[in-house]
Amino acid sequence: MTTNGGFEPVSCTPVFCGIVPPHILDHLAQHEDQALSDSALRTLQHDSAARTRRRITAVRTVAAAVTAPAAPDSAPHRTIYDAGHGTDLPGTEVRAEGSEPGQDATVNRAYAGLGATFELYLKAYERNSIDGDGLPLNASVHYDVNYDNAFWNGEQMVFGDGDGVIFTDFTSSVDVIGHELTHGVTQYTANLEYYGQSGALNESVSDVFGSLIKQYSLGQTADQADWLIGEGLLAPGVHGVALRSMKAPGTAYDDPRLGKDPQPATMADYVKTNRDNGGVHINSGIPNHAFYLLATALGGNAWEKAGQIWYDVLTGGELQATAKFADFAKLTVAAAKARYNEGEETEAVLKAWSQVGVHTA
Ligand SMILES: [Zn+2]
């Protein structure tokens, strides 16, 4: 762990990366409905305990490992476990690679989501699993009681069932599964520090590839995609469509129990805060929106050119763990030139960053 100016930036993946940000859980925890606030409080207390535990436990991280391209016939190695509403991980094995779907839809969705994530990384970027070296993909479902989150703990995926009032089952959005597993990819590559702008880039990279995994699995072009993160996760009656919108940051929800989506779309509205690790789930709206603008300007399948540029930066070895938005943006310009020369792709990258107010010169 490095120290920097008095605070200790926590790296995301060796600690804890939940899909539901603390600002939402804080809001819920203050709600007058006891059952709702209890679920949120339990989740918050658990999440903070998990953070502390993970910080004490040394977890292997491989920085900027340059991996060989995967063989096209590489296959995932998935195992799904049932935590049985407890917190001991991983729980009882309920589905192994290649076995038929069982009765439990949650188990089957987790299995399919891990598969969809493996598929995008393999087919689009020749990456063999999260670490680029065939890492087995393990997930536990039915974690804890009314647990309002899903997370990657540095080694495996964990899914709660939600409280049923605000959140449904956390396996219900494939982009959430892709988001969390992409924290693993970042852990094994650029290992962006989970604080401030590098933390917001870490979050944004997970949103970008989470959305691309959904788009790839549905065969959607950039124009057809919803560009939402966590669509289907909010229970009926909640005023909102998802946890975040890359197309229109700040518009995903506005609900008396959840509060209002605080994401900015441009640097003009950048949020300075010490909460949420310096706003990692808030200011990620800015690079998210830049990616959306690029992908829709280029048209076609977003995982092809736009996704390839982002992937090249994430895995290229030049992205520093403490990178700021402008550092990342400059590397995307260089990556676009390296792959597509000085053509429309590079122009579109420059324009997208300029539209969100991030300087590339
Ligand atoms: Zn995340």
Side-chain angles (χ1 to χ4, degrees):
M1 266 318 137
T2 52
T3 48
N4 185 0
F7 67 80
E8 186 174 307
V10 285
S11 170
C12 173
T13 38
V15 283
F16 173 90
C17 277
I19 190 73
V20 178
H23 57 80
I24 289 184
L25 293 169
D26 282 344
H27 214 278
L28 277 177
Q30 287 160 19
H31 198 266
E32 60 197 20
D33 180 331
Q34 196 71 31
L36 267 186
S37 62
D38 282 354
S39 296
L41 264 177
R42 264 177 71 79
T43 303
L44 271 171
Q45 280 159 359
H46 164 277
D47 293 3
S48 113
R51 270 189 203 95
T52 311
R53 200 158 56 235
R54 304 298 310 177
R55 218 174 294 169
I56 294 164
T57 312
V59 173
R60 176 184 62 124
T61 53
V62 180
V66 177
T67 53
D73 61 349
S74 301
H77 300 284
R78 290 164 286 182
T79 311
I80 312 297
Y81 300 85
D82 188 337
H85 302 291
T87 55
D88 288 337
L89 293 174
T92 310
E93 183 179 321
V94 285
R95 191 168 175 195
E97 186 63 47
S99 66
E100 293 298 313
Q103 295 291 315
D104 187 339
T106 301
V107 170
N108 298 333
R109 279 194 299 267
Y111 183 88
L114 298 182
T117 302
F118 183 92
E119 186 84 357
L120 174 84
Y121 280 110
L122 179 70
K123 296 289 164 60
Y125 311 119
E126 297 184 316
R127 182 178 190 83
N128 185 5
S129 193
I130 297 313
D131 63 346
D133 195 24
L135 184 77
L137 299 176
N138 298 329
S140 300
V141 299
H142 302 310
Y143 180 77
D144 207 349
V145 179
N146 291 338
Y147 181 68
D148 279 335
N149 226 334
F151 62 94
W152 164 258
N153 76 353
E155 293 161 4
Q156 67 157 97
M157 278 294 317
V158 181
F159 298 98
D161 291 333
D163 55 28
V165 178
I166 301 291
F167 293 107
T168 63
D169 186 318
F170 278 80
T171 59
S172 56
S173 290
V174 69
D175 46 271
V176 166
I177 301 177
H179 172 107
E180 291 300 329
L181 287 171
T182 298
H183 280 308
V185 176
T186 299
Q187 167 189 349
Y188 280 101
T189 56
N191 204 18
L192 290 157
E193 273 185 5
Y194 207 57
Y195 194 92
Q197 289 198 11
S198 58
L201 285 168
N202 190 321
E203 268 305 309
S204 175
V205 161
S206 271
D207 279 353
V208 163
F209 289 99
S211 181
L212 292 180
I213 285 155
K214 178 175 175 178
Q215 293 174 36
Y216 184 87
S217 67
L218 294 175
Q220 290 177 331
T221 61
D223 288 338
Q224 294 165 338
D226 62 19
W227 296 98
L228 296 170
I229 302 300
E231 195 273 331
L233 207 56
L234 299 179
V238 177
H239 294 160
V241 289
L243 292 175
R244 290 184 285 279
S245 169
M246 301 175 68
K247 180 176 185 173
T251 68
Y253 57 88
D254 187 356
D255 183 273
R257 294 161 297 180
L258 290 181
K260 185 183 180 306
D261 178 359
Q263 283 212 312
T266 72
M267 288 304 282
D269 296 318
Y270 186 91
V271 176
K272 286 200 171 111
T273 175
N274 289 321
R275 302 293 327 277
D276 184 30
N277 282 42
V280 295
H281 293 94
I282 298 173
N283 293 312
S284 54
I286 297 166
N288 275 0
H289 195 53
F291 184 85
Y292 161 81
L293 291 169
L294 170 65
T296 48
L298 293 175
N301 295 325
W303 60 84
E304 288 174 5
K305 289 179 175 176
Q308 184 70 59
I309 292 166
W310 253 238
Y311 183 78
D312 286 348
V313 172
L314 182 67
T315 60
E318 286 185 52
L319 181 62
Q320 298 298 308
T322 53
K324 293 196 179 321
F325 290 174
D327 302 320
F328 187 91
K330 283 172 199 159
L331 288 173
T332 62
V333 175
K337 281 184 187 160
R339 225 173 239 281
Y340 306 111
N341 301 316
E342 305 266 356
E344 56 159 359
E345 295 85 0
T346 303
E347 281 307 307
V349 170
L350 288 165
K351 185 173 174 196
W353 286 115
S354 131
Q355 284 175 284
V356 300
V358 172
H359 300 293
T360 47

